[in-house]
């Protein structure tokens, strides 16, 4: 197993080195908006507006680390009850794009100037993961019989409606580049789905059986700084 991990690490490093020729390692900033929804105890979830801002540092053309800030709302209803959580969230994350494994030319300038639009889009499909925090701002209206049933089945009605807790964001998406320079695209449209795992069961003010989760579908624009023309 150790030999396998060492081999994979070596190939990844070599891949970074080969496609990084003529790459200026830009910093990108982006912003966008979309819809968030909760996966909580009150299962009839609603789609609500959410927005985000982010910054990324590209280690190679296809590997990045970054910061992501988000503000939105998740809500739901059922059993004569409802909740709303106007949350704040932030995370540190990493992403790996498909181009890292496509055997692209060593000279990144030749690739970015000569690749077809389809190849450029496919090479920027990515997956990623991170770690962050979520700040709750929960309001709720619970039907008395539902509250009694939750407690009778070993759950509880949370007192803390504004706590901060740990989340694990999982991302899948694509950067659609437009414009060409010797050192990579200056602009991109980003389409992303982020699924957030929480470490507790309290994005809805009800604690029962399993941890809550929420999803965020977004579209945004990214701009690369320090990307020489």
């Amino acid at each position: 197993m150790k030999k396998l991990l060492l081999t994979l690490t070596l190939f990844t490093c070599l891949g970074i080195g080969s496609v990084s020729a003529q790459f200026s390692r830009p910093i990108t900033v982006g912003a966008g908006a979309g819809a968030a929804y909760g996966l909580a105890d009150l299962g009839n979830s609603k789609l609500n507006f959410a927005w985000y801002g982010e910054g990324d540092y590209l280690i190679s053309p296809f590997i990045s680390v970054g910061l992501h800030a988000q503000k939105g709302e998740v809500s739901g209803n059922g059993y004569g009850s409802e909740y709303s959580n106007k949350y704040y969230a932030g995370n540190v994350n990493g992403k790996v794009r498909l181009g890292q494994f496509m055997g692209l030319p060593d000279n990144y300038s030749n690739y970015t100037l000569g690749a077809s639009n389809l190849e450029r889009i496919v090479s920027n499909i990515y997956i990623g993961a991170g770690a962050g925090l979520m700040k709750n701002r929960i309001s709720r209206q619970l039907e008395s019989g539902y509250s009694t049933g939750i407690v009778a089945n070993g759950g509880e009605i949370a007192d803390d409606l504004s706590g901060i807790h740990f989340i694990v964001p999982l991302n899948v998406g694509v950067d659609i580049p437009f414009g060409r320079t010797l050192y990579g695209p200056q602009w991109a449209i980003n389409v992303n789905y982020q699924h957030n795992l929480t470490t507790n069961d309290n994005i809805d003010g009800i604690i029962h059986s399993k941890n809550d989760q929420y999803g965020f579908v977004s579209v945004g624009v990214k701009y690369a700084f320090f990307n020489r023309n």
Side-chain angles (χ1 to χ4, degrees), residues 32-40 44-52 68 70-76 83-89 134 192-196 203 213-219:
Y37 67 95
L39 296 169
N44 297 325
S45 183
K46 301 177 182 178
L47 292 175
N48 296 284
F49 178 78
W51 61 269
Y52 74 91
H68 176 99
Q70 188 181 125
K71 183 180 186 300
E73 179 183 2
V74 291
S75 63
Y83 82 95
S84 172
N85 184 349
K86 297 179 179 179
Y87 69 89
Y88 297 92
M134 181 179 185
N192 186 79
Y193 173 68
Q194 183 183 101
H195 191 84
N196 296 273
I203 69 169
Q213 305 174 30
Y214 79 93
F216 176 42
V217 182
S218 64
V219 177

Side-chain angles (χ1 to χ4, degrees), residues 10 14 27 52 65 72 84 86 93 111 131 154 156 176 197:
L10 179 61
L14 289 173
I27 293 173
Y52 74 91
V65 293
S84 172
K86 297 179 179 179
N93 63 81
Y111 163 71
E156 63 181 283
I176 304 172
L197 307 175

Side-chain angles (χ1 to χ4, degrees), residues 25-201:
R25 291 181 175 84
I27 293 173
T28 68
V29 295
Y37 67 95
L39 296 169
D41 295 280
L42 294 174
N44 297 325
S45 183
K46 301 177 182 178
L47 292 175
N48 296 284
F49 178 78
W51 61 269
Y52 74 91
E54 64 182 7
D56 289 291
Y57 175 73
L58 278 81
I59 300 171
S60 83
F62 305 110
I63 297 178
S64 65
V65 293
L67 300 173
H68 176 99
Q70 188 181 125
K71 183 180 186 300
E73 179 183 2
V74 291
S75 63
N77 59 68
Y79 309 104
S81 306
E82 62 182 7
Y83 82 95
S84 172
N85 184 349
K86 297 179 179 179
Y87 69 89
Y88 297 92
N91 66 72
V92 179
N93 63 81
K95 299 184 181 77
V96 179
R97 293 159 179 80
L98 191 58
Q100 188 65 34
F101 310 101
M102 290 175 62
L104 301 178
D106 290 348
N107 190 305
Y108 183 66
S109 294
N110 289 343
Y111 163 71
T112 192
L113 291 175
S116 68
N117 288 331
L118 178 60
E119 185 177 16
R120 295 169 74 218
I121 293 171
V122 170
S123 68
N124 281 286
I125 296 172
Y126 63 80
I127 59 173
L133 297 173
M134 181 179 185
K135 167 69 173 176
N136 288 333
R137 293 194 304 160
I138 302 170
S139 60
R140 68 188 177 200
Q141 293 182 341
L142 302 181
E143 194 271 329
S144 59
Y146 176 67
S147 299
T148 301
I150 289 292
V151 174
N153 284 281
E156 63 181 283
I157 306 304
D159 295 323
D160 185 2
L161 302 182
S162 60
I164 298 174
H165 55 92
F166 185 73
I167 58 173
V168 178
L170 306 175
N171 291 287
V172 59
V174 60
D175 292 321
I176 304 172
F178 55 96
R180 296 175 187 254
T181 73
L182 282 172
Y183 302 96
Q186 199 91 41
W187 293 89
I189 296 172
N190 175 256
V191 181
N192 186 79
Y193 173 68
Q194 183 183 101
H195 191 84
N196 296 273
L197 307 175
T198 72
T199 56
N200 66 7
D201 184 25

